[in-house]
């Protein structure tokens, strides 16, 4: 790496790039709940309305067959990112990291001057009254932001328009308000007390990263070839002075800038550690120090193959291809499933009476039909028998009716036949009949097909 490229890294550190990513992630998280398409949200999982909104399409609880694919897409996506860029999610997009940067670097650092961004190990002297009072201010500011974050989280489960209506009448929605307050309190405890211990001890992601890494995974790596081994095996301790390094040619200055800047309190020179979140603060720190000496950074955002073996990093390889294929298949299945969405819901249940036989051998079965209009406009619904028994079955006690948007209606429907469908003297026979329910105004789009089990009596019961 040339001196010019090194200076470029100093002018544009990864920390600043991460800040831009944090702002983008924050804007997306806040704005997404407010985006609607044809009255439906971009993403909403409403337990109150029993609906999933995805990309402007509303799916009711009976259609939540898409949730497993969304979860697979989420986890496989994170695994694919990890295989290519290590814990890039943790360092660049994870809410926990963003919250800590806002509190530690912005509120305590820039706003109140309690700490330096380049030294995350040194805690302020809280015994000083000035620092203690500033800490109270920092906690109050973060508490207010935590309420906003908790509210933003709820907007993915309760639409913002309903959320603001609910908080205007708090006595009737104490459960929701209580949940928001509890979540905000946890965020205050998490960000101020737990801090990066959440990433190290609680988050399970760090435990699986080593399984997902290989020699082509991008991560923050210290070059022992150039910098030297900083752990003295014979003395069983860290080398703190440059003169104590085993080789005079070793370039590490033992300044420990890469250590003091680490938010998870690790020494990147020891090699890959599960606490590393790939925030690349150590890369920025070493780039600054070594840049003053006209040398490239000893800690780089690269792969094991590149820094230790001198081989080019392969982004396209066996496991990344497999992840890519799996993600494409899942996205394809999401589109296929989304294309099968039904724009009305219909459940058919048999009543307690098995069947009824009239004097003319007319056999009738009673059913309870539950209609639900999932659209935002009213529809008039009608029924018809299709398939094998279309000309042999008659629908009775049903007239087309109009159903308002988002409403449900129960109808008792009688299926009857005068034809001899089965000649079995030993037992009653269940017959599967296909019923089509449709909107009279949009019969092609708003249409569902259900099966009803029609019980036909044994032959000795007919006259």
């Amino acid at each position: 790496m040339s001196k010019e490229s090194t200076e470029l890294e100093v002018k544009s550190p990864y920390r600043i790039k991460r800040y831009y990513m944090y702002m983008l992630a924050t804007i997306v998280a806040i704005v997404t709940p407010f985006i609607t398409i044809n009255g439906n949200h971009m993403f909403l999982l409403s337990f109150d309305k029993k609906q999933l909104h995805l990309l402007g399409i509303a799916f009711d609880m009976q259609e939540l067959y898409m949730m497993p694919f969304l979860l697979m897409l989420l986890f496989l996506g994170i695994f694919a990112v990890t295989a290519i860029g290590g814990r890039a999610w943790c360092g660049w997009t994870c809410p926990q990291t963003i919250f800590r940067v806002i509190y530690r670097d912005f509120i305590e650092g820039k706003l109140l001057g309690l700490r330096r961004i380049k030294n995350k190990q040194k805690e302020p002297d809280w015994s000083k009254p000035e620092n203690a009072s500033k800490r109270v201010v920092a906690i109050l500011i973060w508490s207010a932001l935590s309420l906003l974050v908790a509210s933003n989280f709820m907007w993915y489960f309760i639409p913002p328009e309903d959320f603001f209506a609910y908080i205007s009448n708090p006595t009737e929605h104490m459960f929701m308000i209580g949940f928001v307050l509890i979540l905000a309190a946890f965020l205050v405890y998490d960000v101020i007390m737990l801090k990066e211990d959440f990433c190290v001890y609680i988050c399970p992601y760090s435990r699986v990263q080593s399984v997902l890494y290989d020699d082509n995974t991008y991560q923050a790596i210290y070059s022992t070839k150039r910098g030297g081994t900083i752990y003295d095996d014979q003395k069983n301790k860290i080398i703190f002075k440059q003169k104590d390094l085993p080789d005079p040619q070793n370039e590490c200055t033992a300044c420990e800038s890469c250590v003091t800047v680490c938010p998870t309190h690790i020494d990147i020179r020891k090699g890959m550690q599960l606490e590393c979140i790939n925030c690349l603060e150590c890369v920025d720190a070493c780039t600054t120090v070594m840049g003053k000496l006209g040398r490239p950074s000893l800690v780089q955002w690269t792969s094991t193959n590149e820094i230790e073996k001198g081989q080019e990093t392969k982004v396209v390889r066996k496991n990344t291809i497999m992840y890519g294929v799996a993600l494409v298949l899942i996205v394809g299945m999401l589109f296929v499933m989304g294309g099968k969405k039904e724009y009305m819901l219909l459940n058919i249940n048999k009543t307690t009476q098995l069947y009824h036989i009239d004097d003319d051998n007319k056999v009738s079965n009673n059913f309870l039909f539950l209609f639900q209009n999932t659209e935002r406009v009213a529809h008039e619904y009608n029924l018809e028998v299709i398939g094998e028994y279309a000309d042999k079955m008659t629908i009775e006690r049903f007239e087309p009716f109009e159903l308002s948007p988002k409403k449900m209606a129960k109808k008792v429907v009688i299926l009857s036949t005068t034809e001899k469908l089965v000649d079995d003297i030993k037992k009653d026979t269940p017959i599967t009949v296909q019923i089509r329910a449709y909107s009279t105004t949009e019969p092609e789009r708003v249409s569902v097909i259900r099966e009803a089990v029609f019980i036909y009596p044994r032959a000795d019961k007919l006259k």
Side-chain angles (χ1 to χ4, degrees):
M1 186 182 293
S2 67
K3 183 177 179 180
E4 291 181 358
S5 62
T6 303
E7 291 176 350
L8 179 61
E9 288 293 335
V10 175
K11 293 179 182 178
S12 182
Y14 285 112
R15 177 170 55 86
I16 301 302
K17 297 174 183 177
R18 279 171 41 236
Y19 289 170
Y20 286 129
M21 182 62 72
Y22 295 164
M23 286 189 286
L24 176 62
T26 302
I27 291 171
V28 170
I30 294 176
V31 171
T32 298
F34 292 90
I35 300 177
T36 59
I37 301 175
N38 297 324
N40 297 320
H41 291 263
M42 281 289 290
F43 182 84
L44 173 71
L45 182 58
S46 174
F47 295 102
D48 180 29
K49 298 180 180 180
K50 297 180 177 62
Q51 285 185 332
L52 167 68
H53 291 197
L54 184 63
L55 301 178
I57 301 175
F59 297 89
D60 285 86
M61 293 300 289
Q62 294 91 330
E63 302 173 291
L64 289 191
Y65 46 75
M66 298 187 69
M67 283 301 295
F69 297 100
L70 289 175
L71 293 175
M72 285 190 288
L73 186 64
L74 172 65
F75 284 105
L76 280 178
I78 292 178
F79 291 164
V81 169
T82 304
I84 296 172
R87 290 180 68 180
W89 160 262
C90 298
W92 293 69
T93 320
C94 178
Q96 170 74 15
T97 305
I98 297 175
F99 298 157
R100 278 296 294 163
V101 168
I102 292 173
Y103 180 76
R104 180 193 60 231
D105 294 354
F106 179 69
I107 298 176
E108 286 191 336
K110 290 289 186 181
L111 197 61
L112 301 176
L114 284 170
R115 64 171 79 236
R116 295 174 64 241
I117 293 177
K118 293 183 179 180
N119 191 343
K120 295 178 173 58
Q121 311 300 316
K122 185 178 180 181
E123 285 290 317
D125 185 358
W126 301 118
S127 63
K128 293 182 178 180
E130 181 184 0
N131 289 349
S133 60
K134 285 183 177 180
R135 191 184 194 193
V136 172
V137 174
I139 293 174
L140 290 175
I141 294 174
W142 176 245
S143 297
L145 291 176
S146 295
L147 285 172
L148 174 60
V149 172
S151 299
N152 182 212
F153 176 78
M154 290 300 296
W155 295 340
Y156 286 91
F157 302 92
I158 299 175
E161 59 271 19
D162 292 346
F163 179 86
F164 292 116
Y166 292 165
I167 61 174
S168 64
N169 191 9
T171 56
E172 294 185 4
H173 302 92
M174 292 303 296
F175 179 81
M176 182 199 75
I177 293 175
F179 187 89
V180 171
L181 293 175
I182 291 173
L183 181 57
F186 170 77
L187 289 173
V188 172
Y189 171 74
D190 173 36
V191 172
I192 297 175
M193 303 300 293
L194 275 179
K195 298 180 282 192
E196 278 73 22
D197 286 344
F198 181 92
C199 306
V200 177
Y201 299 110
I202 299 176
C203 180
Y205 186 38
S206 62
R207 268 64 188 174
V208 301
Q209 65 170 337
S210 59
V211 181
L212 303 173
Y213 279 25
D214 58 29
D215 288 344
N216 287 293
T217 299
Y218 278 94
Q219 55 187 302
I221 302 179
Y222 167 76
S223 175
T224 55
K225 289 184 177 180
R226 290 179 48 223
T229 304
I230 54 87
Y231 190 80
D232 191 333
D233 291 322
Q234 295 181 348
K235 297 181 179 180
N236 195 30
K237 66 177 183 179
I238 297 289
I239 295 173
F240 291 103
K241 295 182 180 180
Q242 187 177 17
K243 65 181 181 64
D244 296 329
L245 289 169
D247 188 340
Q249 300 299 319
N250 293 152
E251 298 180 33
C252 181
T253 63
C255 66
E256 294 198 338
S257 293
C258 60
V259 179
T260 57
V261 79
C262 179
T264 56
H265 300 196
I266 65 171
D267 190 339
I268 193 62
R269 298 173 298 174
K270 292 182 180 180
M272 188 190 79
Q273 297 153 76
L274 63 84
E275 296 90 347
C276 178
I277 60 173
N278 271 343
C279 64
L280 308 186
E281 292 272 15
C282 53
V283 179
D284 289 337
C286 192
T287 299
T288 302
V289 173
M290 298 306 292
K292 294 176 181 179
L293 302 176
R295 301 172 184 173
S297 174
L298 296 174
V299 186
Q300 297 183 12
W301 172 245
T302 184
S303 68
T304 303
N305 271 345
E306 192 165 337
I307 202 165
E308 292 186 3
K309 303 177 183 178
Q311 300 176 1
E312 184 180 355
T313 302
K314 295 181 180 179
V315 175
V316 180
R317 51 192 190 272
K318 182 179 178 180
N319 57 345
T320 57
I321 291 174
M322 291 176 64
Y323 280 126
V325 171
L327 289 172
V328 169
L329 288 175
I330 292 173
V331 172
M333 294 188 73
L334 272 173
F335 277 100
V336 171
M337 292 296 183
K340 294 182 178 180
K341 173 180 167 47
E342 297 178 336
Y343 295 93
M344 65 172 291
L345 297 179
L346 174 63
N347 288 330
I348 301 177
N349 296 301
K350 193 85 169 60
T351 60
T352 55
Q353 185 182 32
L354 202 58
Y355 49 76
H356 176 74
I357 305 173
D358 290 338
D359 293 339
D360 56 355
N361 281 341
K362 178 181 177 182
V363 179
S364 302
N365 279 205
N366 295 345
F367 297 88
L368 182 64
F369 281 50
L370 177 61
F371 295 84
Q372 182 176 352
N373 182 359
T374 61
E375 299 272 87
R376 291 184 174 272
V377 295
H379 282 284
E380 183 184 70
Y381 294 128
N382 199 1
L383 294 175
E384 65 176 352
V385 178
I386 61 173
E388 179 183 355
Y389 299 97
D391 299 327
K392 302 176 182 179
M393 291 279 183
T394 304
I395 297 177
E396 300 179 1
R397 281 193 58 185
F398 178 83
E399 296 291 338
F401 70 101
E402 185 173 285
L403 189 58
S404 300
K406 306 298 180 181
K407 297 296 182 180
M408 301 173 66
K410 291 182 180 180
K411 299 290 182 179
V412 175
V413 178
I414 299 176
L415 294 182
S416 62
T417 180
T418 56
E419 298 194 24
K420 190 172 186 178
L421 302 180
V422 181
D423 188 10
D424 191 333
I425 198 170
K426 294 182 179 181
K427 63 180 186 301
D428 298 332
T429 304
I431 297 173
T432 301
V433 181
Q434 287 189 317
I435 307 291
R436 176 176 176 254
Y438 60 93
S439 168
T440 57
T441 53
E442 297 181 82
E444 296 300 324
R445 186 179 71 89
V446 185
S447 172
V448 298
I449 297 174
R450 296 289 185 265
E451 292 183 345
V453 178
F454 185 94
I455 305 299
Y456 193 83
R458 63 179 188 262
D460 64 331
K461 291 190 175 183
L462 298 173
K463 296 179 183 180

